[in-house]
């Protein structure tokens, strides 16, 4: 689609016919979809489905991440006219990417939510489509991982976060955004020995055997060496990437529920994500963007970039199918 056709583009989320290609719709108008991709529930021949999960009933501090998917979509419109910078392939032009919309659920029936989310992701994976999920609080990764483990077996987790989220839960049914990876390890969904947590800077004595590259270490060794260490642990095992936006220092991502100082810079995070190209990533999510505390929109912008980088990582492994 040529740039001169931009004058005719409006509500591209509904009017575009092709799932591939850039969008030159004005960034400040029109219907908001992620990267101006087409809204559709038809996953026929779709490589990657972006879906929102506006759930924040599991937070332990500030709420508001239920509004995250909407804010991330809006911020992503700034990126829709161009291929992602720094990548040698062109995922927006060569991959069939759809916005699958938000998951529907009963916000007042929290006990039913985990199973409903697992089923939502099962439906995407059944179409041989990868999911990129916009959260929502971080608990959502647990039901998502269940669906991925069903398809790929115990999966390697690559987690960017200020917190390990492996604090023991009082039972396996408790819905809490700080205990879900404890559950995932104990239930055999995640293989801790081949998993990595990056950016950690809160105390939790029991690591459950997960490999940790904490924030001070990232600052000391730099993003390129950090990426090398990540790849050495993951090797070619099926992996799921989850990015809690509080991995970034509050200076770069203030709009989140549990901010912790001393985090990664956006430059460090972007370089790490580029340098890990080639990992056997099967899907991913970006979580904990809380618009009520994001006065400048910087956090949503960071979240949109992270989601786009996950698409780039998935696309790197799909290049033979272009």
């Amino acid at each position: 689609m040529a740039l001169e056709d931009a004058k005719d583009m409006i509500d591209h989320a509904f009017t575009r016919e092709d799932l591939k290609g850039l969008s030159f719709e004005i960034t400040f108008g029109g219907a908001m979809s992620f990267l101006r991709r087409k809204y559709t529930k038809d996953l026929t021949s779709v490589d990657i489905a972006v879906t929102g999960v506006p759930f924040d009933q599991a937070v332990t501090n500030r709420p508001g991440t239920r509004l995250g998917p909407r804010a991330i979509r809006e911020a992503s419109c700034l990126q829709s006219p161009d291929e992602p910078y720094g990548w040698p392939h062109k995922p927006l032009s060569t991959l069939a990417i759809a916005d699958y919309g938000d998951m529907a659920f009963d916000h007042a029936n929290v006990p039913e939510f985990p199973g409903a989310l697992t089923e939502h992701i099962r439906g995407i994976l059944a179409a041989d489509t990868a999911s990129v999920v916009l959260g929502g609080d971080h608990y959502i990764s647990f039901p998502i991982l269940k669906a991925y483990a069903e398809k790929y077996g115990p999966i390697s987790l690559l987690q960017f976060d200020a917190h390990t989220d492996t604090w023991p839960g009082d039972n396996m049914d408790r819905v809490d955004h700080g205990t879900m990876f404890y559950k995932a390890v104990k239930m055999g969904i995640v293989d801790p020995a081949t998993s990595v947590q990056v950016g950690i800077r809160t105390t939790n004595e029991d690591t459950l055997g997960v490999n940790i590259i904490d924030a001070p270490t990232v600052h000391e060794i730099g993003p390129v060496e950090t990426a090398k260490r990540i790849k050495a642990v993951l090797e070619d095992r099926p992996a799921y990437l989850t990015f809690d936006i509080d991995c970034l220092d509050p200076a770069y991502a203030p709009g989140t529920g549990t901010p912790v100082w001393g985090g990664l810079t956006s430059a460090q995070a972007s370089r790490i994500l580029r340098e890990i190209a080639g990992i056997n990533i099967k899907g991913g999510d970006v979580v904990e963007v809380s618009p009520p505390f994001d006065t400048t929109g910087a956090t949503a912008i960071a979240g949109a970039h992270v989601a786009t980088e996950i698409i780039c990582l998935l696309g790197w492994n799909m290049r033979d199918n272009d």
Side-chain angles (χ1 to χ4, degrees):
M1 200 167 289
L3 181 59
E4 58 267 20
D5 295 329
K7 65 181 183 300
D8 299 321
M9 291 187 190
I10 192 64
D11 298 330
H12 213 190
F14 301 108
T15 60
R16 68 181 297 159
E17 297 179 359
D18 196 343
L19 295 177
K20 301 179 181 180
L22 302 175
S23 174
F24 302 106
E25 183 174 347
I26 54 174
T27 57
F28 49 85
M32 301 295 174
S33 63
F34 189 76
L35 293 175
R36 301 289 194 186
R37 315 318 290 184
K38 184 178 181 65
Y39 270 119
T40 182
K41 298 297 185 183
D42 181 2
L43 294 179
T44 305
S45 300
V46 173
D47 296 312
I48 300 171
V50 180
T51 187
V53 181
F55 175 88
D56 67 355
Q57 285 93 313
V59 297
T60 54
N61 193 36
R62 305 190 305 197
T65 58
R66 65 180 61 187
L67 304 175
R70 182 183 300 174
I72 293 170
R73 283 188 175 98
E74 180 178 352
S76 77
C77 292
L78 292 168
Q79 302 176 61
S80 62
D82 304 297
E83 294 290 350
Y85 180 78
W87 288 89
H89 68 306
K90 297 180 177 180
L92 302 190
S93 296
T94 59
L95 298 178
I97 305 168
D99 192 320
Y100 195 58
D102 285 351
M103 172 194 167
F105 62 95
D106 182 352
H107 72 279
N109 195 340
V110 175
E112 284 192 356
F113 169 77
L117 176 51
T118 299
E119 185 61 31
H120 181 71
I121 301 300
R122 281 192 192 118
I124 295 172
L125 297 182
D128 289 326
T129 300
S131 68
V132 176
V133 180
L134 313 177
D137 70 47
H138 210 165
Y139 176 80
I140 69 171
S141 296
F142 178 50
I144 294 170
L145 284 167
K146 282 186 175 182
Y148 272 86
E150 287 173 2
K151 181 166 185 174
Y152 297 106
I155 202 158
S156 298
L157 181 68
L158 175 54
Q159 175 187 349
F160 291 83
D161 210 321
H163 316 84
T164 61
D165 295 332
T166 53
W167 285 278
D170 54 2
N171 60 62
M172 289 299 170
D173 295 322
R174 188 167 178 272
V175 177
D176 187 319
H177 74 161
T179 64
M180 66 284 178
F181 295 136
Y182 173 88
K183 296 178 176 66
V185 171
K186 292 297 185 180
M187 294 175 69
I189 295 168
V190 164
D191 177 13
T194 61
S195 296
V196 190
Q197 295 172 326
V198 182
I200 305 301
R201 50 193 189 278
T202 49
T203 302
N204 185 359
E205 298 297 339
D206 188 358
T207 67
L208 300 181
V210 178
N211 300 276
I212 294 178
I213 307 173
D214 66 9
T217 300
V218 174
H219 296 318
E220 180 180 351
I221 67 176
V224 175
E225 178 61 26
T226 298
K228 289 180 181 178
R229 296 189 184 186
I230 291 169
K231 295 177 83 169
V233 174
L234 297 180
E235 295 183 339
D236 63 349
R237 301 175 185 88
Y240 184 87
L241 193 160
T242 179
F243 197 108
D244 187 324
I245 208 67
D246 71 23
C247 178
L248 301 181
D249 189 88
Y252 301 90
T256 192
T258 52
V260 183
W261 75 340
L264 273 60
T265 68
S266 56
Q268 288 173 321
S270 66
R271 184 65 185 275
I272 293 169
L273 291 170
R274 284 169 173 76
E275 291 292 332
I276 60 173
I279 65 170
N280 190 14
I281 181 174
K282 299 301 184 182
D285 61 53
V286 55
V287 296
E288 299 287 354
V289 172
S290 184
F293 301 98
D294 193 22
T295 56
T296 67
T299 314
I301 291 170
H305 278 282
V306 169
T308 301
E309 295 299 292
I310 294 173
I311 287 173
C312 292
L313 288 167
L314 288 164
W316 185 260
N317 298 337
M318 295 176 179
R319 287 172 299 160
D320 291 341
N321 298 325
D322 291 343

